[in-house]
mmCIF file of all heavy atoms in Angstrom:
data_model
loop_
_atom_site.group_PDB
_atom_site.id
_atom_site.type_symbol
_atom_site.label_atom_id
_atom_site.label_comp_id
_atom_site.label_asym_id
_atom_site.label_seq_id
_atom_site.Cartn_x
_atom_site.Cartn_y
_atom_site.Cartn_z
ATOM 1 N N GLU A 103 7.169 42.676 -19.562
ATOM 2 C CA GLU A 103 7.332 43.604 -20.748
ATOM 3 C C GLU A 103 7.094 42.742 -22.027
ATOM 4 O O GLU A 103 6.883 43.442 -23.074
ATOM 5 C CB GLU A 103 8.619 44.363 -20.760
ATOM 6 C CG GLU A 103 9.874 43.618 -21.091
ATOM 7 C CD GLU A 103 10.297 42.622 -19.869
ATOM 8 O OE1 GLU A 103 9.692 42.721 -18.787
ATOM 9 O OE2 GLU A 103 11.237 41.847 -20.106
ATOM 10 N N ARG A 104 7.274 41.392 -22.010
ATOM 11 C CA ARG A 104 7.116 40.683 -23.166
ATOM 12 C C ARG A 104 5.575 40.553 -23.598
ATOM 13 O O ARG A 104 4.670 40.765 -22.782
ATOM 14 C CB ARG A 104 7.712 39.293 -23.062
ATOM 15 C CG ARG A 104 9.195 39.390 -22.699
ATOM 16 C CD ARG A 104 10.031 39.852 -23.989
ATOM 17 N NE ARG A 104 11.380 39.858 -23.712
ATOM 18 C CZ ARG A 104 12.132 38.806 -23.999
ATOM 19 N NH1 ARG A 104 11.614 37.679 -24.349
ATOM 20 N NH2 ARG A 104 13.498 38.812 -23.828
ATOM 21 N N SER A 105 5.403 40.142 -24.801
ATOM 22 C CA SER A 105 3.980 40.031 -25.329
ATOM 23 C C SER A 105 3.239 38.898 -24.700
ATOM 24 O O SER A 105 3.862 37.921 -24.351
ATOM 25 C CB SER A 105 3.962 40.001 -26.854
ATOM 26 O OG SER A 105 4.426 38.725 -27.215
ATOM 27 N N ASP A 106 1.958 39.065 -24.744
ATOM 28 C CA ASP A 106 1.060 38.010 -24.186
ATOM 29 C C ASP A 106 1.248 36.749 -25.025
ATOM 30 O O ASP A 106 1.230 35.640 -24.453
ATOM 31 C CB ASP A 106 -0.323 38.516 -24.420
ATOM 32 C CG ASP A 106 -1.213 38.168 -23.282
ATOM 33 O OD1 ASP A 106 -0.696 38.212 -22.115
ATOM 34 O OD2 ASP A 106 -2.435 38.006 -23.351
ATOM 35 N N GLU A 107 1.376 36.833 -26.299
ATOM 36 C CA GLU A 107 1.547 35.692 -27.192
ATOM 37 C C GLU A 107 2.772 34.991 -26.833
ATOM 38 O O GLU A 107 2.767 33.659 -26.838
ATOM 39 C CB GLU A 107 1.704 36.258 -28.618
ATOM 40 C CG GLU A 107 1.438 35.296 -29.723
ATOM 41 C CD GLU A 107 1.603 35.915 -31.020
ATOM 42 O OE1 GLU A 107 1.436 37.089 -31.250
ATOM 43 O OE2 GLU A 107 2.157 35.181 -31.982
ATOM 44 N N GLU A 108 3.914 35.631 -26.545
ATOM 45 C CA GLU A 108 5.118 34.970 -26.146
ATOM 46 C C GLU A 108 4.956 34.163 -24.812
ATOM 47 O O GLU A 108 5.441 33.012 -24.738
ATOM 48 C CB GLU A 108 6.321 35.971 -26.110
ATOM 49 C CG GLU A 108 7.560 35.313 -25.803
ATOM 50 C CD GLU A 108 8.732 36.304 -25.660
ATOM 51 O OE1 GLU A 108 8.885 37.126 -26.591
ATOM 52 O OE2 GLU A 108 9.433 36.283 -24.675
ATOM 53 N N HIS A 109 4.263 34.746 -23.905
ATOM 54 C CA HIS A 109 4.054 34.112 -22.630
ATOM 55 C C HIS A 109 3.342 32.806 -22.865
ATOM 56 O O HIS A 109 3.627 31.733 -22.310
ATOM 57 C CB HIS A 109 3.227 34.955 -21.663
ATOM 58 C CG HIS A 109 3.872 36.243 -21.290
ATOM 59 N ND1 HIS A 109 3.210 37.426 -21.053
ATOM 60 C CD2 HIS A 109 5.262 36.468 -21.100
ATOM 61 C CE1 HIS A 109 4.112 38.357 -20.685
ATOM 62 N NE2 HIS A 109 5.407 37.907 -20.789
ATOM 63 N N ALA A 110 2.206 32.891 -23.676
ATOM 64 C CA ALA A 110 1.477 31.672 -24.033
ATOM 65 C C ALA A 110 2.331 30.669 -24.655
ATOM 66 O O ALA A 110 2.239 29.463 -24.332
ATOM 67 C CB ALA A 110 0.298 32.013 -24.818
ATOM 68 N N ARG A 111 3.220 31.097 -25.499
ATOM 69 C CA ARG A 111 4.082 30.164 -26.245
ATOM 70 C C ARG A 111 5.040 29.441 -25.372
ATOM 71 O O ARG A 111 5.320 28.306 -25.481
ATOM 72 C CB ARG A 111 4.769 30.892 -27.377
ATOM 73 C CG ARG A 111 5.218 29.929 -28.465
ATOM 74 C CD ARG A 111 5.346 30.563 -29.784
ATOM 75 N NE ARG A 111 5.868 29.558 -30.741
ATOM 76 C CZ ARG A 111 6.476 29.983 -31.951
ATOM 77 N NH1 ARG A 111 6.440 31.290 -32.229
ATOM 78 N NH2 ARG A 111 6.945 29.097 -32.689
ATOM 79 N N VAL A 112 5.623 30.230 -24.460
ATOM 80 C CA VAL A 112 6.610 29.684 -23.455
ATOM 81 C C VAL A 112 5.931 28.606 -22.581
ATOM 82 O O VAL A 112 6.331 27.513 -22.377
ATOM 83 C CB VAL A 112 7.170 30.809 -22.638
ATOM 84 C CG1 VAL A 112 7.957 30.137 -21.430
ATOM 85 C CG2 VAL A 112 8.107 31.714 -23.455
ATOM 86 N N ALA A 113 4.691 29.052 -22.170
ATOM 87 C CA ALA A 113 3.979 28.029 -21.297
ATOM 88 C C ALA A 113 3.629 26.779 -22.055
ATOM 89 O O ALA A 113 3.756 25.668 -21.551
ATOM 90 C CB ALA A 113 2.610 28.787 -20.833
ATOM 91 N N GLY A 114 3.267 26.931 -23.334
ATOM 92 C CA GLY A 114 2.962 25.809 -24.167
ATOM 93 C C GLY A 114 4.143 24.840 -24.360
ATOM 94 O O GLY A 114 4.118 23.714 -24.344
ATOM 95 N N TRP A 115 5.285 25.527 -24.634
ATOM 96 C CA TRP A 115 6.567 24.869 -24.855
ATOM 97 C C TRP A 115 6.958 24.008 -23.651
ATOM 98 O O TRP A 115 7.376 22.865 -23.787
ATOM 99 C CB TRP A 115 7.674 25.877 -25.222
ATOM 100 C CG TRP A 115 8.990 25.181 -25.504
ATOM 101 C CD1 TRP A 115 9.294 24.455 -26.620
ATOM 102 C CD2 TRP A 115 10.230 25.144 -24.671
ATOM 103 N NE1 TRP A 115 10.631 23.990 -26.454
ATOM 104 C CE2 TRP A 115 11.155 24.453 -25.275
ATOM 105 C CE3 TRP A 115 10.487 25.728 -23.443
ATOM 106 C CZ2 TRP A 115 12.437 24.287 -24.703
ATOM 107 C CZ3 TRP A 115 11.730 25.615 -22.820
ATOM 108 C CH2 TRP A 115 12.638 24.852 -23.540
ATOM 109 N N VAL A 116 6.818 24.559 -22.485
ATOM 110 C CA VAL A 116 7.228 23.940 -21.266
ATOM 111 C C VAL A 116 6.300 22.739 -21.009
ATOM 112 O O VAL A 116 6.724 21.604 -20.764
ATOM 113 C CB VAL A 116 7.145 24.900 -20.074
ATOM 114 C CG1 VAL A 116 7.279 24.058 -18.755
ATOM 115 C CG2 VAL A 116 8.250 25.952 -20.114
ATOM 116 N N LEU A 117 5.014 22.939 -21.292
ATOM 117 C CA LEU A 117 4.005 21.802 -20.978
ATOM 118 C C LEU A 117 4.324 20.718 -22.002
ATOM 119 O O LEU A 117 4.359 19.522 -21.649
ATOM 120 C CB LEU A 117 2.545 22.309 -21.261
ATOM 121 C CG LEU A 117 1.477 21.330 -21.083
ATOM 122 C CD1 LEU A 117 1.471 20.746 -19.709
ATOM 123 C CD2 LEU A 117 0.178 21.922 -21.303
ATOM 124 N N ASP A 118 4.618 21.039 -23.293
ATOM 125 C CA ASP A 118 4.880 19.973 -24.260
ATOM 126 C C ASP A 118 6.168 19.263 -23.855
ATOM 127 O O ASP A 118 6.284 18.074 -24.088
ATOM 128 C CB ASP A 118 5.038 20.601 -25.672
ATOM 129 C CG ASP A 118 3.662 20.904 -26.314
ATOM 130 O OD1 ASP A 118 2.684 20.390 -25.744
ATOM 131 O OD2 ASP A 118 3.630 21.663 -27.301
ATOM 132 N N SER A 119 7.200 20.032 -23.427
ATOM 133 C CA SER A 119 8.451 19.425 -22.986
ATOM 134 C C SER A 119 8.193 18.456 -21.849
ATOM 135 O O SER A 119 8.775 17.427 -21.790
ATOM 136 C CB SER A 119 9.386 20.428 -22.678
ATOM 137 O OG SER A 119 9.627 21.403 -23.693
ATOM 138 N N LEU A 120 7.289 18.724 -20.993
ATOM 139 C CA LEU A 120 7.008 17.962 -19.779
ATOM 140 C C LEU A 120 6.339 16.662 -20.185
ATOM 141 O O LEU A 120 6.523 15.639 -19.638
ATOM 142 C CB LEU A 120 6.248 18.667 -18.784
ATOM 143 C CG LEU A 120 7.005 19.722 -17.957
ATOM 144 C CD1 LEU A 120 6.100 20.503 -17.044
ATOM 145 C CD2 LEU A 120 8.206 19.164 -17.205
#
Side-chain angles (χ1 to χ4, degrees):
Chain A
E103 72 285 354
R104 298 293 182 85
S105 70
D106 223 32
E107 200 185 324
E108 187 182 304
H109 295 150
R111 204 155 172 198
V112 168
W115 180 72
V116 170
L117 182 59
D118 283 346
S119 304
L120 288 175

